[in-house]
Amino acid sequence: MRAWVAVDGARPGVRIPKELHGHFSEHLGRCIYQGLFVGEDSPIPNEHGMRKDVVKALKEIGVPLLRWPGGCFADEYHWRDGIGPREARKRMVNTHWGGVVEDNTFGTHEFLELCRQIGCEPYINANLGSGTVQEMSEWVEYLNSDGDSTVAMERWKNGHREPYGVRYWGVGNENWGCGGNMTPEMYADLYRRYQTYCRDYGAHKLFRIACGPSDADWHWTEVLMQKAGRYMDGLTLHSYTVPSGSWAEKGSATEFDEARYMQTLARAYRMDALIRGHLAIMDRYDPEHRVKLMVDEWGCWHDVEPGTNPGFLYQQNTMRDAMVAALTLDVFHRYADRLGPCCIAQMVNVLQSVVLTEGDRMLVTPTGLVFMLYKAHQEAQSLEQAVFCDCMDNGLRQLSVSASRREDTVTLTLTNLHPAQALETEVRLDGVTVRETAARMIRGDMHAMNTFEDPEHVRIEPLDGIRCDGQTLSLTLPACSVCEVTVRV
Ligand code: AHR
C-alpha cells in the first residue's frame, strides 16, 4: 500500500495549545491512591507522598494539565474534608466507585503539590451537584485570594502562604447524569448562579467551565449556549470509545479480532463529527469563538481486567488503544483554534491510562508512548497537510497525520492504522529546505501491550531507512505503528 502526504512547511498556522494533551485523575480505583500517591511513609520512593517513578514517567510523557477530583466523584466531593491535619479528615464512602472508604488523605494541597512536581497546570472540577454556592465560592477564595480574609488565612495555616492561582475551574460534571440528573435548563440556571460567586482574585482570573454534553446530545449544547454561553469560557464534551457499542458488554481490552479492531477505530473517529457538530451549534451563539469546546473525558472504555473490582475500571492497554490515542490527538490538532483543554481518561490505572502500577512496579502503556511521540506538537504551529491514500474496510484512511513547526523544526507524526499492512509513504515538504531528519516509532501487533513481566514490550525505537530526495521524504511505516519524524529545516 502507498500513501502520499503534502505539507506546507513555510506557512505555520494556528498554535497547538499544549492543553489539548491534558489528563484526568479521579478518586477512582487505584488512580490517586497507589497510582499517584502512596504517602510519605511508603517504602515506594516518593516525594511528599507522590510516587517518584510515576512522576518521572509523567514528565517524560509531557503532561501539560491535570483535571481533578472527578468525574462523578467531583459532585460529591466536599473540599473542606480534604484540608487540615490528615488524621482529622472525614472518612466518606466513595459511592460511585466501588463503595470504598475515601479518607481524604489526598486533598487540595496534595493535588497542587502533585501538579507542581509534574510541572502541569491544575484544572479543578468543583461540586455543583451536591455542594452549596458558598462552598464553591470559598474554595476559589481559599485557592486564589492573596488577601488576609479568614478563608485565605486558613490556607496560610495549612502551609501555603502564596495563592495557588488556579485558573481552570469546572462548575459541575456530567450534571445530565451522575452530577444531579438535571435537565439542561435546570443546569444552565444553576451554572449561572454558581459561577457568579466564583470570583477573580487579583491577577488570578478564572477560566470558567460549564458542563457540556455527552456524545451527540446537541440539545444540551443548544440550551447551554443559549442560556449561559456568555458566562462561560469553556464547555465540556465527554465521549468514550466503547468498542462493541454496548455499555453492558464493552468487550475485552486485550482479546479482540480484526473486525473489532476496525470497529474501535471507526467509533473513535466519530470524535471528528462530534466536535464539528457541537462547534456548529456554538457558532450560532458565539460567532467570535470566545467559548472553547473541551473534550475533558475521552478514551477507550473496555471491560475491566478479569478478577479486578468492577468499580475500579482497571483495564489493560494495547496497540489498539495507541491507535485510538493517535487518531484522536490528530482530530484535536485539526480544531486547535476552537478547542480548550482536553483530557484523556484517565491518567493512571483507570480506563485508557498512560501509566499502570502494581505495588512498587510501574509501566508506561502504548498510549503513554503516543503522548511522548506527540509532545513536540505542544505549542508548535500546525501545518497544512494533504493526505492521499486508500481507505480501510471501516472507511477510515489508512494514514493519520499531524504536522507542526517550531522554529527550524518540523514534526510529523504518521500513524499507519492498518493492523497488518505496511505503508510506503512519501512526504513532500513544500517551502523549506530539508537539512536533517530523525525518526522513531512504536509498533506492534494490534494486541501488543506492556505487562509487569515485560514492561517494555512496546517501546519507542528508531525508525530506520528514511530516504530524502530534495524536499521529498520516503519511508516505510510498519503495520500498526505511530511514527514521529523530526525534520530540521
Ligand atoms: O471516567 C470515569 C467516569 O466517566 C467519570 O467519573 C464520569 O465523568 C464519566 O461518566
Side-chain angles (χ1 to χ4, degrees), residues 24 26 28 67 70-73 97 173-174 176 178 238 240 297 301 313 345-346 350-351:
F24 171 35
E26 181 165 9
L28 196 178
R67 176 174 177 241
C72 294
F73 183 77
W97 307 119
N173 167 74
E174 296 197 351
W176 36 260
C178 63
H238 288 184
Y240 285 96
E297 284 188 33
W301 194 320
L313 309 186
Q346 296 191 6
V350 172
L351 299 177

Side-chain angles (χ1 to χ4, degrees), residues 53-66:
D53 54 352
V54 173
V55 168
K56 180 166 174 280
L58 294 173
K59 284 167 113 161
E60 282 165 22
I61 285 166
V63 173
L65 168 132
L66 183 57

